[in-house]
Amino acid sequence: MYATRILAGLVTVVAAAGLLGDVSPVGGTLSAKQVAVQEVKRSEKLVTLGDLTANQNHRLAAIRQAARQQILTQTKAKRSQVAEVYRMALPTKFTVQAGLTKQGVRLNLAANTFGLSEIVIPYQQLKGKILNHYLPKAQRTTKQNQSKVIALTFDDGPDSKLTPKLLKILKRNNVHATFFEVGQSVTKYPQISRAVLRAGNELGNHSWNHPDFATIGTKKTVSQINRTNAAIYQATGQLPEYVRPPYGAITKAEGVAIEQPIIRWSIDSKDWSYLNKAKDIKAVVGAARSGGIILMHDVHAQSVAAVPSIIRQLKAKGYRFVTVSQLLNNQTLPGLQYFERGDSRTAGK
Ligand code: ZN
């Protein structure tokens, strides 16, 4: 359902551009400043959040996730304000209206401590989240790539020595990976988290100090996640897109509450149990499959030492290494967990 929002003073400009149909001219004289403000807003298409999401809660949660990042970016918020962005009320109803502007999706905001009455979320941040046909062509997701790809993921870092060592190995091999980091270590080594991202890798949330979410309850889980989001935001200027729960354990209620896509794995190196380079290599190469997500840990020297051989052997078998978002074609939504390409399940399953 579309409606066209018409702003006073722009009628002539917009009508001249042929964008409006039935228009009633609006009287009054506007200052140059008012006109400038309105030109920024200009005419936009009004839609409901239900339109943008096909009334899917997972997609609506993804819009809230993108809104939080936009609010922080736009206001250059401090770490201490990240908690506030998770506390503030963001739209939960499909009937709420949003504007499709040239730059992105405009959302009105309820009163908040950031002093914003509205935000415009760039379309790029909504790729794979809202329905494709509301996005500019360049931001639409295309058919899932079925080529022989695999994603390396590393948990429990950053480690002061091993993570930088691993980054060098990845760079030398022209491979990008996804790192799920622990908040308390990010706070200790923010420069390493920055280096992870700067090298073209992805960075996700692996809790504050590695508890078993399934046993601590929703409130503590949300606190673990948001505290780590704040640490990653402070270190890198970005909220992480993904969460990987320690031990892969998370309840359905927790999965819904954290409002971030959950990334699991399909190829478990069990490197923590072997602490043995040869066994790590054998476990990963032996279980490799196209579209798979490999779980390793960059806090064990043997695991990092195994990476060059793993890369070499899998490349020889025709695999291309990609990040998690590349593997999943950016089509990841909060409240769902992703095990590998083509395998997503509701949180808690
Ligand atoms: Zn872990």
Side-chain angles (χ1 to χ4, degrees):
M1 188 183 51
Y2 286 85
T4 304
R5 197 170 81 143
I6 300 161
L7 288 142
L10 281 170
V11 170
T12 320
V13 176
V14 178
L19 296 172
L20 295 178
D22 181 23
V23 169
S24 328
V26 181
T29 314
L30 293 163
S31 71
K33 195 179 166 192
Q34 281 172 312
V35 170
V37 167
Q38 286 169 354
E39 276 193 37
V40 172
K41 285 190 172 180
R42 72 183 166 282
S43 165
E44 62 181 10
K45 270 182 181 169
L46 278 187
V47 292
T48 65
L49 295 181
D51 293 332
L52 295 178
T53 62
N55 294 325
Q56 291 174 45
N57 277 311
H58 297 298
R59 292 186 189 275
L60 187 54
I63 293 177
R64 288 193 293 273
Q65 186 186 11
R68 293 185 185 103
Q69 174 68 62
Q70 184 57 29
I71 291 165
L72 295 178
T73 306
Q74 203 168 312
T75 60
K76 297 189 172 69
K78 295 189 182 74
R79 174 178 181 162
S80 58
Q81 293 174 282
V82 177
E84 183 57 29
V85 88
Y86 285 99
R87 265 197 301 270
M88 68 183 279
L90 290 168
T92 55
K93 292 202 166 67
F94 294 122
T95 50
V96 168
Q97 287 193 314
L100 299 180
T101 74
K102 200 175 170 193
Q103 292 77 17
V105 172
R106 191 187 57 78
L107 274 185
N108 289 318
L109 297 178
N112 58 77
T113 58
F114 295 93
L116 294 174
S117 59
E118 61 175 28
I119 48 161
V120 176
I121 307 171
Y123 287 115
Q124 199 184 354
Q125 309 300 323
L126 295 167
K127 184 175 184 172
K129 314 296 181 192
I130 64 172
L131 298 188
N132 244 354
H133 65 269
Y134 291 105
L135 292 163
K137 280 216 171 67
Q139 306 301 344
R140 290 180 190 169
T141 50
T142 47
K143 205 169 179 296
Q144 178 76 303
N145 182 351
Q146 295 299 322
S147 65
K148 201 167 177 182
V149 291
I150 202 160
L152 274 170
T153 68
F154 297 94
D155 288 9
D156 297 2
D159 180 274
S160 61
K161 292 206 170 61
L162 293 173
T163 305
K165 198 173 171 186
L166 174 59
L167 289 177
K168 277 187 196 150
I169 292 170
L170 294 174
K171 191 175 177 200
R172 206 179 302 136
N173 287 280
N174 197 21
V175 162
H176 292 141
T178 303
F179 291 75
F180 292 95
E181 296 189 336
V182 172
Q184 64 178 9
S185 302
V186 174
T187 296
K188 250 185 181 161
Y189 309 114
Q191 74 284 6
I192 299 178
S193 298
R194 275 194 292 281
V196 164
L197 272 186
R198 201 167 48 231
N201 303 290
E202 285 177 355
L203 187 53
N205 182 326
H206 194 47
S207 84
W208 180 256
N209 59 5
H210 217 273
D212 179 343
F213 289 165
T215 66
I216 64 172
T218 300
K219 206 177 156 196
K220 282 186 181 160
T221 294
V222 169
S223 158
Q224 283 270 332
I225 293 300
N226 291 355
R227 204 173 163 195
T228 302
N229 285 341
I232 292 175
Y233 173 78
Q234 186 181 37
T236 68
Q238 281 177 35
L239 293 174
E241 169 86 2
Y242 304 127
V243 163
R244 173 173 281 161
Y247 320 104
I250 189 160
T251 67
K252 185 176 179 186
E254 290 163 356
V256 170
I258 62 175
E259 300 209 326
Q260 287 173 251
I262 297 159
I263 305 300
R264 299 281 292 271
W265 57 86
S266 58
I267 299 156
D268 190 350
S269 68
K270 294 200 172 67
D271 56 347
W272 55 271
S273 68
Y274 302 132
L275 299 179
N276 178 298
K277 177 181 157 183
K279 286 187 177 171
D280 292 347
I281 296 167
K282 203 173 160 215
V284 172
V285 174
R289 47 196 268 171
S290 184
I293 298 177
I294 300 167
L295 168 62
M296 296 185 76
H297 297 81
D298 57 331
V299 290
H300 304 307
Q302 299 89 341
S303 306
V304 172
V307 172
S309 284
I310 290 172
I311 292 175
R312 194 167 50 247
Q313 292 188 36
L314 291 183
K315 276 185 174 174
K317 286 174 185 271
Y319 285 97
R320 194 163 55 82
F321 288 88
V322 291
T323 62
V324 164
S325 68
Q326 290 168 331
L327 185 94
L328 300 172
N329 205 19
N330 289 301
Q331 289 168 311
T332 49
L333 299 172
L336 296 176
Q337 41 183 356
Y338 299 83
F339 289 77
E340 64 178 0
R341 184 171 63 189
D343 182 359
S344 65
R345 309 174 204 171
T346 307
K349 285 188 181 158

